[in-house]
Amino acid sequence: MRKVIFILGALLILTGCSSTMNIEEQTVLVEELGYIKYNKKNEIHLEYALEDQMYINDDMKKVIMDISSLKEKYKDGIDERNSISPYLEVYKTSVSKFKNVVFNNNDKLLDEYFADIVEILDKSIAEGLKDYVSDMKYKKLQPDEIISEKIGRTLVYTENRSRGAGNSIAIKVNFLDIKNDYHRELCNEIFHDKYFLDNAIMGEEFSLIEFVDSEGYYHYSQPDSTRTRYSMFLKDKEMEKINILIRGEREADLESDDIYVFTNLINTLELREDEKELLLNEYKNIFNKKLNKKKITLDNYKVFINFTKGNLYGEGSENLIYFSIEKYNLY
Amino acid sequence: MNKSILKHETRSMKWILLLSILVSLFLIIMFSIILNEMYGRMFVKGLEGNTSIVQNAFRDISPMILILFTIVSVIQVFIQFRTEKDEEIKRFLESLPISKGEFFKVKLSTGIINITLAFMILTIGIIIVRMNNMFWIKDVYGISIISEPFIKADGVASLLKEIGIIYLIILSFYTFLFMVQYTFTNLVGGIVTGILVWLAPGFILYTSTYILNEFIRISALYDLTNFSRWLIPWLYAFERNTIWIYDGNGMVFANIKIIENLEIKYIISLALIIINIIIGNKFNKDSKVENENMIIPFKVIREIFKIGVTICSGLLVSIILNEIIRIEINNSIYILFILLGGAIGYFISKKITKVGIR
């Protein structure tokens, strides 16, 4: 009997301790969330944070209106439910609807509609698009071959899997620009229209702006090519961190545009000339390394390179290279 | 603690220990693969904020932890009691100058230590994998609209709490099967019955309120149906409460899922473990060699077994009629079928409990 009382006592003490600990910590979590929800100061911050970081400039608005006006012309041939037609009503819908829109010629009924869209884009943001599309339409391609090309602000990719005559052609375009003037200028300085703006958001600590190269912009491109994504973390006008995310085979080579963009990037950072050279060499030889991790310490930045094997979406094994440059004491 | 019994027990436990370690390593690898997949997704689709990466990855492997360690517990009980159920060996062990309590203590301790060791390896492994991935996960917090809830949800403290509840559920299941072994003379019969009895309270309450609901519709029955989830500890780790996070305009932009009533679940699981050990110890002390021919040596357990099987059989028939065959019959025939099912259950359980009784 004494043993039973002892065990019950121990149980009460043990469970008492653990429950108190859990209740306190769980409540803290809930209270904090409640605090965030109701605190006035945070509300203001949140409204600001949730505001879209991207906008549609006046030239783009005209392009969108022109595409939108095609709705009337093809109202009998186009199914409203068909996602192919972004009936773009600029002032009524969220700007996110105009991010990374894809037009394609897969549906035979929409051949004319697609041709009209190409015409509009050719005259505005993608000079030479019309000729390129007509060239690619009947180009002889291998069964799995994909050809992608950046024309103006559009990415055109051609595949040999069309249901009708000719190849399947898709045009991907981001109608949005970065809202913050300083950030927009900075990105122009780095990317010089070589990459595509993929995303721009604002978080509690940083604004994130992401740019991708042509291969990265098209998710399903050939596995033997390299794909690069730049994720830039900015606080006001300061570049706090840059992640350069590269995918590719071990023996792959970076393209000249990649080197050009990287050089522009390091020129915007507070680096000495020898530090810039060191980083450029690291970047150029990124696929020749047999390392898993590497850390480089610079005067104002710390650099971290991480190599991993990835197998994304059954595309075969490829290298994932995480190349980050961040200010000291960032986190 | 008697060294020779300890040696005997650890010898039979070495393979199960190896199995437990392999299971832990497998789960650590799975956790790492899931995080790696999320890491790879960042390369393709970019960085997404307002999400708890570590917690999401752990949530994906937690059913695996529960299922695999439930299987390990069953195998462990089988190995621990395999030799002891042999009549000759049992007589030999009883003739040794070592008390039954000593045997019980050593066997139980080695079992609990084995599961604890495996969970310690699992916990350390998961924390290391988390640590190795923090270099990119930190970026997710930086671009989240509010970072603190996600940092907390992904923290080591949250991980430990979630692993802790699964550990206690597994331990309560193991001690339950361990206790049942002292009430059943047949090893496999004891394990199978143990698993069924483990599920029986939840099944009985759920199905009986479900059936009653066919005849009388009152809200209390609905509450009782919901309460039946409390009677199945296996579900404890999966019932999560969604905490919605709102922006300044009252719009939901993210959510975090935490295990509901965690502290109460800790108390129940701990209480179950202790009760199982106390009852198991009592039956161990009361067991007699002359009862070894009976399938269920204790009268009180025989009665509980008969009542339980009778009720469950009746309820099983009703579930088959309602959910599987989906036949529409009038109430009196329906009740007749339930009674018939119960009667069959009673007949079978009576036959089983009579085995070995002279």
Side-chain angles (χ1 to χ4, degrees), chain B residues 50-72:
Chain B
N50 308 319
T51 181
S52 43
I53 301 273
V54 179
Q55 201 209 35
N56 286 348
F58 182 74
R59 216 165 54 211
D60 285 352
I61 63 156
S62 56
M64 275 191 259
I65 302 178
L66 193 79
I67 292 166
L68 291 177
F69 275 104
T70 298
I71 295 168
V72 167

Side-chain angles (χ1 to χ4, degrees), chain B residues 279-316:
Chain B
I279 297 174
N281 192 30
K282 182 170 167 40
F283 283 128
N284 172 51
K285 279 181 184 162
D286 295 349
S287 67
K288 291 173 186 150
V289 181
E290 54 267 30
N291 287 340
E292 69 202 15
N293 290 329
M294 298 179 199
I295 285 187
I296 306 169
F298 301 101
K299 197 182 172 197
V300 61
I301 300 291
R302 281 200 293 269
E303 294 310 313
I304 293 171
F305 181 76
K306 273 191 277 188
I307 295 166
V309 173
T310 308
I311 294 171
C312 287
S313 312
L315 294 172
L316 188 67

Side-chain angles (χ1 to χ4, degrees), chain B residues 228-240:
Chain B
S228 63
R229 290 177 302 160
W230 283 98
L231 301 177
I232 305 172
W234 276 338
L235 299 177
Y236 286 5
F238 307 114
E239 286 172 332
R240 284 175 184 267

Side-chain angles (χ1 to χ4, degrees), chain B residues 116-136:
Chain B
T116 310
L117 265 176
F119 266 86
M120 277 167 71
I121 293 167
L122 177 68
T123 309
I124 293 167
I126 282 178
I127 290 171
I128 291 171
V129 172
R130 175 194 172 274
M131 221 164 63
N132 282 338
N133 279 275
M134 282 317 284
F135 73 93
W136 68 275

